[in-house]
Every structure is written in structure tokens, then in C-alpha cells.
Amino acid sequence: MVLAVEPAAGVGPGALLSVEGVTVRYGERTALLGVGLELGVGEVVALAGENGAGKSTLVRCIAGELTPQAGRVLLAGRAPGGGGMAGGRRGVAVVWQDLSLCDNIDIAGNLLLGSETRRLMLSPGRLHTTARRLLAELGIPLPDTTMDVRHLSGGQRQLLAVARALRDRPALLVLDEPTAALGVAETRQVEELVTRLRGDGTTILVVSHDVEQMFRLADRVVVLRRGQVAGAVRTADSHPDEVTALITGQEVDASARRQLDRLHGLVDRLASADPGSSVSLVLSALATALGGARMALHLLDGDHLRAEVTIGVPPALRREWQRLPLGPAGGPPGLAAAGGRVVVEPDGRQPLRGGGRLRPLGRLAAGSVWAVPIHGSGGLLGVITVLQPAGGEPRRDELDLVSLYAGHAAGAIERERLLDQVTARNRVLESIRDVLQNLAGPAGARGLDAALHALRAGLQATEVGLAVGDGWGGLSWRAAQHADAAVASPSAALRTAGGAALAGTADGRARALPAGPGASWLGAGFPSPEGPTVLVARWDDGAPPADATALVEDGANSLRLALEREEAQRAHQEAVTLRRSQELQRQFLSRLSHELRTPLTAIRGYASSLLQPDVTWDDESEQRFLRRIAAEAARLGRLVGDLLDFSAIEASVLRLQPDWCDLALVIDAAVAVVAAPAATTVDVRCDTDLPPVWADHDRLEQVLVNLVHNAVQHNPPGTSVRVEATAAGPDVVVTVTDDGVGAPADVLAAPPDGPRERRAATAGAGLGLSIARGIVAAHGGSLSMDHPECGTRFVVRLPAERLEALAGPDEARQG
């Protein structure tokens, strides 16, 4: 049958708009036939119908553009005057689907088109001010009234057309397909405006093809079909399917519609609900669909069923059904789970006959019991059990309905489990990522504390530790982290559990360890370069999380890789250091052998010349040869002495014989060693108040002789050398400055790290400055070098002793 609902009550003789028996014909074609319609004050009514149903003709009659052949249109109970195609009906404003806006005029011009006064025409400023005030009063968001209409979006154009229609405050606003050509966002703008006007009490007639939009905006929906009113429904008490049926002339099954409505609502709620409450929502919706039946939902838990949600089940039965075995012992739910099929007990008050034997079901206070299995993608998930107060077999459509909701329950259960798995796996991945970031950082495996801290947080454990076996059953703890930051070392319980875990198989698998009351342990042993290693975690507040085993195993694997990486880096560093040391030794021995061979060659050459039996040398030649032999022997002795001094400094066995030294005398003694021709270029300047220094006189002289010798011998003849000694706070500073060619930047490197550019043919083995730096360092001072504008400056800084420290207060005052 065709559902026809009478017009809404409350719109009688006092209605704002009354359409009474309107008939319109176009030649032999009848567009409207006895149409009646009423709109109350402040009511929003939607006019629906297929194309050609007569909607536009009715709107033209209401607007006064068309005079009907029969019937009349009353506005507020009176036949309005005026009308015609030009003027329209006073008090009625229509926004046609063709908005009739002028694209070459701005917003203000379109809004006030046809109502401009002379005052507004002569003042564009007043025109725009009036337009803005009108838009603000209507609550329409079009602030820039100077914008041309052609630049507006579809939604803004629709809003402007509505504003123009409302300009003269009409009693009735008619909207003809207001959103037919608009997008989603623009449609929402227009609907928000209609809702706001409805709240302000504006009476609105909306002509639309969008049934869902009618239910969002209108109080009532009037349907035209073939020029007649097919019916009218209230949106609060009906469903869009009823309007669709009225439009198309199809039959509507109200009960099926209600069930479909419930299912639609359930799907919408499940899409936005928290996953933890989805199963409860499904069961509640099913209970409502079955007229308030009591029911329970059990989930498969190993070889038992565990009650997840119950609705209206008596407490005694709820306790009995909290955990049910599979099979006949579990009643209807157990049978349904075991067989994977629907089980119906027509009379729940009688003992259940199952499996060829009798078993009391319990006092159910129920007429019939239906158990419907819940199947998911991986098999059986659980059972929905319905307790109906009336006995007897259920109808087929009722079982189908329960099965349909069981499908929704399966989706909710799998969604919840999948979300739990994803959440748990994400937590594992986040924890492992934090561990790897700490282990892969600059500290490498030295960042074990930070890595174990991240791992403990991911495990939600009380304590986590990493230990290495020593081969005799003992453990060396590399790192440990406790939930209490004040606990810095592994607890006694952790040490005991670590030993137990180390005794197990070192295959990286996590295993439960023997634990005391209330505590849980997991340990994973694995081989590492340092020996058998174990990762142990402890929980004091019960069982570990479900993903703890995977996280412990992943953490153990990450730590194993980090320890292997650390060992590989250590081996690589040792190999690099060994190669560098061998290269330095080779370079040093090559250079030293050259330096030693030079004087030996000279000594041997002069000595063999003197020992020639067939050559007679005069006294002057013999003396010259002997002087050269003595000089080269002295040079060889200096080289050997430098080598011994350098070895003593490198071995940290250089012995000093300190005493109170006058630094000015040490400098004079060092300069006196310089040969006569070069001695005249050395300028010495010492402060008169230089404090004494506690030092080895001979060693300090050796340092200054080396510095002055380098400045004189390794620069062109005539190079000026200046030696200065000054007091600088708690130190004495001696500088040796020359204006020569400048020393290389690495001249102070120790030990010599390769060939250096020789500045003179007299250059030695390159040990002198290194020895000087070692001697100064042994005195607690420092030797440095910088480059002034030209030449080189060496700076020796030594700790000094003030007169006040050497003598008593009275003696210092007398001094």
C-alpha cells in the first residue's frame, strides 16, 4: 500500500500560508489538481517531488506570478493584492534556482538593486554602508560589499540571493533548489543560513530533491506526485525512506524500516565509538531490536567461553555463566561454540537435553534460550545468547536478525583485537626505536643506561639489567635500570635471577624465570664478544604485558648487535692505532738512522784519512781533521743524549734535581753557549723583580739553549734574537723571539710524526723541542709557540715562588 500521512496538526485557519484547491492547466495538460497546502508561522516546510510533479507551478502560484484556474492562495488569511508577473505577491520572496544576479555589479549593487533611493545613488559610501548593515542584521558572511559578483563562489552567490530576498523582510521565503549546483562546503554554508533563519522565526518553503537535506532543515515534508499532494510527513517521526516511497509511489514496510534505521544508527555509532565499547553497543542495539530481551555475549578464551557483556541477566546466572566450558557442559552457549551452529532451547526452565544425556541448565527465569555463534575471519570468536521471557521457537526473521548483529559483533571484536595488536606492536616498535637510537648514537654501547631506560619504560617493568658471565658462574653487570631512580645498582633479586637466566640456553629467546610471590621475571640469554650475556626484566606488580616476550627478545637482539658493533669498533681502532704507531716508528727510525749516520760518516772519513800510510798531513790539516772529528763526535753525543732524554720523558722517568734558581743567571748561561759570531745578535732583557723558581738549573738551561740555538742556527745569518723574562701573576714567562723565516706549525709535535721541511742544513733529529717541552712540563709549566708578524716566538711559562712565600711576614716586610 502507499503510505499517506495527513497534514500536520496546528496549522489551521491561523496559518501564514494557505493553498486551497489550486488547479492549473496548460492547455490540455493539468499541472496542478486541487492542491492544498498550509504553512504555520515560523515553520520550515520542504516541497518534494519528481521532475514534472508540479513544484515550480505551485511556487509560481504562491509567488503571484501565475493565477490558478481554480482555488486560491491566502497569505495570513487574506487574499493579497497586487501580483502579476512583474510585481509578484507582496509579502512573499522567492529565490529561484536561477539566481538572476548581475555579474558586472558588486555585492552592494545587487543587494539593493531596485530599492536604491536618490540619497544612496548619489553616495556610494552610503550604499555600501547600508549593504553591510543589512548583511550584518541577516547574519550573512559577505563583508566585502565592493567585490564583483562574478568573483563569488556558488555558495556566496546563493547567500547573496537569499539576502536580497530578505531585504524587505517578507513574511514567507521560498527557496527553489537552493543547493542543487553547490559543493559540500557551500551547501553547508547555505544550510547553516536556513537553520539560523529558522531560529529567528522566518517561515520558509524549501523546494528540493535532496531527501536527506529535507530532514536536516524542515519540520514537515509535503510530497507532490503528478500534480497532486501524495502525502505529508513530520521529519521527527518518520524516515527518509518514507518520503522516497511517497515520491516514487512505492510501498513502505514500517517494521523493516525501523530495523534498517537501527542498523544505520548502529553502524554510525560504531564508526565513531571507542573500540572498547563497540561490543556493548552491538549487544545493546540487538536488545532494543528484539524488544528488550536479556542477553549475554561470550568470547572464546582457549577451551572456555568468557562472559564479555551481559544485559539484564540475573546475578545468579551471570556468576554461573562467567566462565563456561565448550560442549554440553556449557549449556546452549557451550553447544553453539562447540558445533559452530545456532542452538535453540524452547523452554529454558526445563533441563537441557544435549549430547544424549540430561544436564540441568540452571534457574534461568526465561522462556526460551537462543545461542548464535559469532564467526570471524579466523574462525569462531564467541557466542551471543538471547534469553526471551516467552517460550517456544523463535521466528526465522528473529534468528536472522541475531545473526546479522552477530556479524557486526564479529567486526567490532576483530577491530578491537586488531587495534590492541597494532597498539601493542607500535609500543614495541617505539621502545625498540628508542633503544636503537641510544645504542646507535655517538656513545654506542656506552649508552647502555639510556637504552635500558627506554627498554624498561616500554616493558613497564620494575627493573631491567644486562650482565655478562665471567666463565666461573659469576656475573659482571654492564648496566641496570630501576623504576626508582634512587636505585643505581642491580638489586639482589636481579643478581639472583641473572644467574638463573645465564644458566639457560643462550639462543636469544625470552623465558620465564623462577620468581618469588607477586613478582614475574623474563630473561633472554645470548652470546656476545664479551662472553655469555643475559638481559633480565622484573615486574613486581603482577604478570608482564602481553607483548613483553617479543620486546625482551627484540631488545636482547638489539643489545647483542650493539655489543658486537662496539667490539668491531674497538678492534678497528686498535688496528688503526697499531698501524699509526708502526708508521711513526718507521719514520722516526729512518730519520734517526740518517741523523746518526751523518756524524759517523764524517768521523770515519776524517779518521781514515789521518790513518792513510801513504799520505803525510801537515799539522794544520791534522788539527782541522781532529777538530771536525771532535765536533761530529760531540754532535753524535748530543743526538744520543737527546734520544735518551726523549725516551725518559716518554716513559715518564725523567728525573729532576730541583733547587731555587735565579732565572736571569740561567738565561745568561744559556746565551753564553752561543758561538761568538751569532752571540752578538742575541738581546737579553730580564725584569729586575723576577721571583725565584723551584727548578733543575741544568735542565732549564738545556731548554733555553735549545730555543736560542734553534733561533740562531735555523735562520739566515744576522737574524735578531730577543730573550725576555717577565713576571706574570703566579708565573714567570720567558719568550725567545726571532725575526727569521718562521718555524713550521707542527714543530712542537711529539713524537716526530713525519718528515718536516728543513730550514737549514744543520737541522738535527727534531727531538730538541720535544725534549724541551717535556722538561718544561716536568716542572709544571708549559711551552708554546706563536707567530708574530715575522719570525717565531716560543713562550716558556713556569710557576714562580713569591718572596712572601719564601720568607716570613717580617722578613718580607723588611725586603
Side-chain angles (χ1 to χ4, degrees), residues 124-314:
R126 290 194 186 96
L127 181 69
H128 287 284
T129 301
T130 303
R132 283 193 295 268
R133 184 175 63 253
L134 179 59
L135 291 173
E137 291 174 355
L138 296 174
I140 295 177
L142 294 173
D144 187 6
T145 59
T146 63
M147 181 183 293
D148 287 349
V149 171
R150 63 173 172 268
H151 299 307
L152 299 180
S153 65
Q156 290 173 325
R157 294 170 65 90
Q158 190 73 43
L159 295 178
L160 177 57
V162 174
R164 186 173 65 183
L166 294 174
R167 179 185 61 196
D168 298 325
R169 302 297 192 272
L172 173 65
L173 175 64
V174 182
L175 301 177
D176 180 23
E177 297 289 354
T179 61
L182 301 183
V184 176
E186 297 168 331
T187 298
R188 185 168 58 250
Q189 277 185 310
V190 175
E191 289 183 358
E192 288 174 355
L193 175 60
V194 173
T195 303
R196 190 163 57 248
L197 295 175
R198 175 184 183 178
D200 295 338
T202 305
T203 305
I204 305 174
L205 177 63
V206 180
V207 181
S208 177
H209 283 90
D210 189 344
V211 178
E212 297 292 341
Q213 184 183 71
M214 299 176 195
F215 275 76
R216 289 194 297 268
L217 300 179
D219 302 303
R220 290 186 297 128
V221 179
V222 177
V223 179
L224 291 180
R225 188 171 72 249
R226 298 177 182 177
Q228 294 179 302
V229 176
V233 297
R234 281 196 172 276
T235 56
D237 304 327
S238 60
H239 190 271
D241 291 345
E242 295 182 10
V243 175
T244 303
L246 289 172
I247 294 174
T248 59
Q250 297 176 353
E251 296 185 356
V252 177
D253 184 353
S255 61
R257 181 198 59 75
R258 284 194 295 270
Q259 294 292 2
L260 186 61
D261 188 22
R262 290 193 184 99
L263 285 175
H264 281 311
L266 175 62
V267 172
D268 291 340
R269 290 196 300 273
L270 288 177
S272 59
D274 180 60
S277 63
S278 299
V279 177
S280 300
L281 282 175
V282 173
L283 208 62
S284 299
L286 177 57
T288 303
L290 293 176
R294 292 174 293 178
M295 57 186 57
L297 188 147
H298 288 80
L299 294 180
L300 185 64
D301 187 5
D303 58 351
H304 284 75
L305 291 174
R306 173 176 49 83
E308 182 72 10
V309 183
T310 60
I311 296 178
V313 177

Side-chain angles (χ1 to χ4, degrees), residues 290 495 507 738:
L290 293 176
R495 295 177 184 273
D507 57 359
D738 64 69

Side-chain angles (χ1 to χ4, degrees), residues 46 128 149 261 265 361 373 401 494 502 640 677 702 757 790 815:
H128 287 284
V149 171
D261 188 22
L361 180 63
L401 187 64
L494 188 67
L502 193 63
V640 174
Q702 180 181 355
E757 181 182 353
C790 63

Side-chain angles (χ1 to χ4, degrees), residues 375-587:
H375 294 284
S377 58
L380 183 72
L381 297 176
V383 176
I384 292 179
T385 307
V386 180
L387 307 176
Q388 285 287 20
E393 296 284 344
R395 300 194 312 270
R396 184 64 208 175
D397 61 329
E398 290 177 325
L399 288 181
D400 290 343
L401 187 64
V402 178
S403 299
L404 180 61
Y405 275 85
H408 285 287
I413 293 169
E414 292 190 330
R415 174 190 173 206
E416 182 176 351
R417 290 181 177 178
L418 179 61
L419 185 60
D420 290 342
Q421 292 174 2
V422 171
T423 302
R425 195 57 189 166
N426 282 345
R427 189 166 62 84
V428 171
L429 293 177
E430 287 291 328
S431 301
I432 292 300
R433 181 181 64 84
D434 293 341
V435 170
L436 292 177
Q437 281 182 344
N438 286 288
L439 294 177
R446 295 190 299 276
L448 285 176
D449 287 331
L452 287 186
H453 176 76
L455 184 60
R456 188 200 62 77
L459 288 170
Q460 302 173 6
T462 304
E463 189 174 15
V464 173
L466 181 70
V468 180
D470 58 7
W472 293 276
L475 289 176
S476 173
W477 288 91
R478 290 292 305 269
Q481 284 292 319
H482 198 280
D484 184 1
V487 181
S489 59
S491 63
L494 188 67
R495 295 177 184 273
T496 303
L502 193 63
T505 306
D507 57 359
R509 300 287 300 275
R511 293 176 174 84
L513 304 177
S520 300
W521 296 84
L522 279 179
F526 57 92
S528 74
E530 300 180 6
T533 308
V534 62
L535 174 65
V536 183
R538 172 168 64 96
W539 291 265
D540 284 345
D541 53 355
D547 56 353
T549 299
L551 187 51
V552 168
E553 292 177 354
D554 290 345
N557 186 55
S558 301
L559 292 170
R560 178 183 61 80
L561 294 176
L563 293 175
E564 291 177 354
R565 171 186 172 222
E566 181 187 37
E567 181 64 21
Q569 289 179 341
R570 184 186 301 115
H572 175 71
Q573 186 63 34
E574 290 177 355
V576 171
T577 304
L578 180 61
R579 287 197 300 270
R580 179 62 177 165
S581 175
Q582 291 174 346
E583 179 67 18
L584 292 177
Q585 291 178 11
R586 186 189 64 77
Q587 293 177 357

